[in-house]
Amino acid sequence: MAVVEEFRHLRDARGTRGPRRRRTDAERKEERAAWSFLFPWFVGMVLITLGPMIASLVLSFTDYNLLREPSWVGVENYERMLGDARLHKSLGVTFTYVLVGVPLQLATALFLAMVLNRGLKGLAFYRSVYYLPSLLGGSVAIAVLWKQLFGVNGLINQVLGFFGVTGPGWISNPETALGTLVLLHVWTFGSSMVIFLAGLRQIPDMYYEASAIDGAGRWRQFRSITIPLLTPVIFFNLVLQIINAFQSFTQAFVVSGGTGGPVDSTLFYTLYLYQRGFTDYQMGYASAMAWLLLLIIGAFTAINFLVSKYWVHYDD
Amino acid sequence: MTTDVKNTGSVVAPRRAPGESLRQGRRRRGGVRKVLQHALLVVVGVLMIYPLLWMLVGSFKPNDLIFLSPGLIPEEITLEHYTNGWNGLTYPFGRYILNSAIIVLGALIGNLVSCTTAAYAFARLSFRAKPVLFSAMLLTLMLPIHVLIVPQYIMFTSIGWVNTFLPLIVPKFLAVDAFFVFLMVQFFRGIPRELEEAARIDGAGYWRTFLQVMLPLTVPALATTAIFTFIWTWSDFYTQLVFLTKPETQTVSVALRNFVDATSESNWGALFAMSVVTLIPLFVVFLVGQRFLVKGIATTGLK
């Protein structure tokens, strides 16, 4: 919500500044004060963010293993990426994870937000229970739990066994390993749900009252009032969750013991990047991979913003 | 919206409008609907929480019983997993907890100080570079850490900071977590300007206005920042994995992960026990800080 609005304001505000004029003493004083407040942030921006970003771009055109000086290799890293089968595999795994996990998670979040929004008693309690997993979900401990939950003798197979079904080792089977991680992602729907709830609360009751007088049923209200008015929030959640999902790392790393296995079936792009950078110390190649990731995330976000014109309704 | 269910059965109005009985029927259906809704919500809630309880109970069950039944009531209770797990790695687990706590504390102070001042400038003061810098700040919200980590690693190696807590703390003093800057900007914007103007007329400088007038009003936002910083730093894994490779500097996340690799399949109890230990602080903070968390996500919309 808020972040997206900021970008829209910035876009709209472009070019509205007046002609440059001499500034008064008070303005100059304010400018100096502003910089004193901003100083730590600015240093961080230059040293921790912008500097490394540029360094990473430069490194991506070099061969560097931390021991010898970096040597310029031009676009060789990028060329090698074209023929790197594991990289292609990791892209496939990541895209599957993002394109299946994010919609599933958002649909779950939206559905439960809708159920919760009907003035039910105990809303705060349900909200807490659903929200808790999204707070814990990124931790190593939950990955440990997941590994055991879906293990050969794990909880899932115990329950299946109760019904006489012998389940496979979900984590050790390359067909199902990624699926367990998608499920873990869905399990953390709570934070999206809280955002949806906040969005639903913004829709004025009078729309529903007016439409009820006109004879609209619940389904019709959902389709013609709730969904259109909620599109900015859905859009916001979508943008954010896609950006986050592309960067998932911990769960795949812990569940697969850092390998991305079995048979690379959980080799997230970020995991492969880590292996190249911090196991093989191929800093140049890892940097090139990082920039591809940035481009992919940027492209997805840009497409999202472009397509949003056709389905997101803004009140103004 | 829908009225209370209790009243539906006892309507004794002598004269009924033509539409009345129909509406009553609808209300009764509404009652059934509510029961169904609660049933659904409870089932989903149990499904979500059960795995956590299973782990908690498992950490008290003898190893050979953990995987025998999916039930929650243990036949036998043992604390051996906690003692085994605590001493299962190079250092006692308390050492890793201490390391995590130091990093969390540093990050907490750093974020509270640096993000607040930066946000105040963005929210309230005017300066020429503001549109550019503000856009830059917003863009870094979406910047993957993976793009920065390799050069950061090279940089921190060259100044000897790898295997110290500095790479994990110092950047927080430089407001690199744009999320919190943005959160505070949103909050400052909601405070009426009159208060500051009054202070300025009384002759207070910018810093004094900020410290004495604005800061006391931002306590809820500071609390949100503190809680999120705690949770994210405590459960962070990626940067800790990269920057901390020596056992004596490792945090609970990294230690727990090493424990996974070092533990044989037969000793999951100890692993569960230490997982529970690392989750307890998160759970406590969640209980204490819930309302700030919910508000924080709802206003900035980040998790």
Side-chain angles (χ1 to χ4, degrees):
Chain A
M1 286 169 292
V3 183
V4 176
E5 275 159 32
E6 291 297 335
F7 277 111
R8 290 178 64 236
H9 287 318
L10 282 171
R11 193 189 58 197
D12 298 343
R14 242 188 343 204
T16 56
R17 242 181 315 164
R20 190 164 282 192
R21 56 184 173 79
R22 279 188 71 85
R23 290 178 306 149
T24 62
D25 278 352
E27 281 172 333
R28 256 190 301 244
K29 209 174 150 202
E30 184 165 354
E31 174 111 13
R32 270 203 306 275
W35 278 101
S36 72
F37 279 96
L38 273 182
F39 184 69
W41 174 84
F42 189 74
V43 172
M45 188 72 190
V46 172
L47 287 184
I48 310 290
T49 308
L50 223 51
M53 231 178 124
I54 295 165
S56 157
L57 186 61
V58 174
L59 276 172
S60 76
F61 296 103
T62 66
D63 184 13
Y64 183 44
N65 63 1
L66 285 180
L67 299 175
R68 275 176 291 113
E69 288 291 297
S71 61
W72 189 263
V73 294
V75 293
E76 196 187 294
N77 286 326
Y78 293 96
E79 277 171 11
R80 267 169 62 209
M81 280 162 67
L82 287 176
D84 184 344
R86 282 195 88 200
L87 185 131
H88 301 161
K89 172 76 186 176
S90 75
L91 279 173
V93 168
T94 309
F95 278 125
T96 310
Y97 177 76
V98 172
L99 296 178
V100 178
V102 171
L104 270 182
Q105 191 230 39
L106 287 184
T108 313
L110 180 58
F111 174 71
L112 285 163
M114 296 286 308
V115 175
L116 269 181
N117 190 44
R118 302 258 174 75
L120 275 184
K121 282 191 184 148
L123 173 121
F125 174 74
Y126 289 123
R127 190 177 56 194
S128 304
V129 170
Y130 294 167
Y131 179 56
L132 180 64
S134 70
L135 268 190
L136 309 180
S139 64
V140 175
I142 294 301
V144 169
L145 167 63
W146 227 250
K147 193 171 177 176
Q148 212 35 63
L149 215 52
F150 289 94
V152 183
N153 302 315
L155 178 63
I156 301 298
N157 281 349
Q158 286 172 20
V159 174
L160 286 178
F162 187 75
F163 294 106
V165 181
T166 313
W170 304 90
I171 299 274
S172 50
N173 182 345
E175 303 266 306
T176 51
L178 183 57
T180 64
L181 294 177
V182 170
L183 261 183
L184 176 50
H185 187 70
V186 176
W187 188 65
T188 61
F189 70 82
S191 61
S192 307
M193 187 196 73
V194 171
I195 298 174
F196 279 134
L197 276 172
L200 286 169
R201 194 107 7 114
Q202 302 281 313
I203 303 176
D205 276 348
M206 64 177 189
Y207 289 167
Y208 293 102
E209 286 154 14
S211 67
I213 291 169
D214 291 344
R218 273 173 190 275
W219 173 244
R220 187 59 208 264
Q221 287 179 333
F222 174 72
R223 240 178 19 147
S224 306
I225 299 174
T226 312
I227 290 296
L229 289 177
L230 207 59
T231 48
V233 184
I234 298 175
F235 170 63
F236 171 78
N237 260 333
L238 188 69
V239 169
L240 214 86
Q241 291 299 332
I242 288 180
I243 292 174
N244 282 340
F246 267 115
Q247 302 177 48
S248 298
F249 174 82
T250 306
Q251 311 309 346
F253 188 89
V254 176
V255 163
S256 69
T259 63
V263 236
D264 287 350
S265 62
T266 60
L267 186 70
F268 282 12
Y269 189 83
T270 54
L271 184 45
Y272 187 46
L273 196 161
Y274 173 85
Q275 291 181 354
R276 282 301 182 119
F278 299 101
T279 316
D280 306 339
Y281 292 108
Q282 300 179 13
M283 296 301 181
Y285 196 75
S287 297
M289 281 187 68
W291 272 84
L292 179 63
L293 178 68
L294 186 64
L295 287 180
I296 291 172
I297 293 178
F300 264 79
T301 310
I303 290 169
N304 249 326
F305 269 86
L306 285 178
V307 175
S308 75
K309 266 188 230 147
Y310 300 102
W311 67 275
V312 178
H313 302 266
Y314 287 104
D315 254 352
D316 47 41
Chain B
M1 298 252 269
T2 8
T3 36
D4 205 338
V5 197
K6 274 178 281 180
N7 298 329
T8 43
S10 58
V11 181
V12 280
R15 228 158 24 100
R16 245 179 222 172
E20 192 80 330
S21 64
L22 187 135
R23 230 169 64 206
Q24 223 188 332
R26 211 177 242 192
R27 275 195 194 167
R28 194 161 294 140
R29 275 212 304 280
V32 175
R33 178 184 230 115
K34 284 219 153 154
V35 172
L36 285 177
Q37 274 174 14
H38 279 291
L40 174 79
L41 291 170
V42 169
V43 169
V44 174
V46 169
L47 275 177
M48 290 187 68
I49 299 301
Y50 201 89
L52 294 173
L53 295 176
W54 181 68
M55 175 158 78
L56 179 66
V57 172
S59 71
F60 292 106
K61 281 184 186 177
N63 264 327
D64 47 340
L65 294 180
I66 297 181
F67 300 118
L68 272 186
S69 81
L72 287 184
I73 299 151
E75 301 83 33
E76 239 182 283
I77 290 180
T78 168
L79 288 176
E80 63 170 357
H81 298 316
Y82 283 86
T83 49
N84 288 345
W86 194 267
N87 300 309
L89 285 162
T90 321
Y91 292 92
F93 211 76
R95 175 69 184 257
Y96 308 116
I97 294 179
L98 182 69
N99 289 345
S100 277
I102 293 171
I103 292 171
V104 165
L105 190 70
L108 212 95
I109 297 171
N111 273 346
L112 285 178
V113 173
S114 66
C115 296
T116 320
T117 54
Y120 184 67
F122 281 128
R124 278 301 209 257
L125 303 178
S126 62
F127 49 100
R128 266 189 297 186
K130 187 152 135 181
V132 178
L133 295 185
F134 192 60
S135 319
M137 191 272 292
L138 286 180
L139 283 174
T140 58
L141 269 177
M142 309 187 179
L143 190 66
I145 177 69
H146 308 274
V147 180
L148 307 177
I149 195 107
V150 167
Q152 281 184 1
Y153 181 80
I154 296 169
M155 176 170 84
F156 291 135
T157 308
S158 70
I159 55 175
W161 280 14
V162 168
N163 280 318
T164 73
F165 301 148
L166 295 172
L168 301 160
I169 295 176
V170 173
K172 307 290 176 185
F173 280 86
L174 302 174
V176 291
D177 280 344
F179 168 77
F180 297 115
V181 178
F182 185 63
L183 181 108
M184 300 293 298
V185 166
Q186 294 284 92
F187 197 86
F188 279 129
R189 283 177 179 169
I191 298 174
R193 275 180 185 274
E194 286 77 13
L195 293 164
E196 281 163 286
E197 278 158 14
R200 305 270 307 127
I201 288 165
D202 289 347
Y206 287 97
W207 275 94
R208 200 155 149 216
T209 312
F210 168 74
L211 289 173
Q212 294 191 344
V213 180
M214 295 301 269
L215 217 48
L217 295 170
T218 54
V219 170
L222 293 175
T224 309
T225 302
I227 292 163
F228 271 112
T229 304
F230 183 98
I231 290 172
W232 289 346
T233 313
W234 184 270
S235 52
D236 172 40
F237 176 63
Y238 190 61
T239 53
Q240 295 175 359
L241 176 74
V242 170
F243 293 129
L244 306 173
T245 52
K246 289 206 176 124
E248 66 265 28
T249 60
Q250 281 171 353
T251 57
V252 286
S253 299
V254 183
L256 193 59
R257 185 259 153 176
N258 291 342
F259 201 26
V260 179
D261 288 0
T263 310
S264 64
E265 285 295 317
S266 57
N267 195 18
W268 275 91
L271 205 48
F272 275 3
M274 289 308 103
S275 297
V276 170
V277 167
T278 66
L279 287 179
I280 286 172
L282 293 179
F283 189 67
V284 170
V285 169
F286 164 76
L287 285 184
V288 176
Q290 253 195 75
R291 72 196 169 96
F292 294 109
L293 289 170
V294 168
K295 213 154 179 248
I297 329 169
T299 48
T300 60
L302 294 165
K303 73 167 181 185

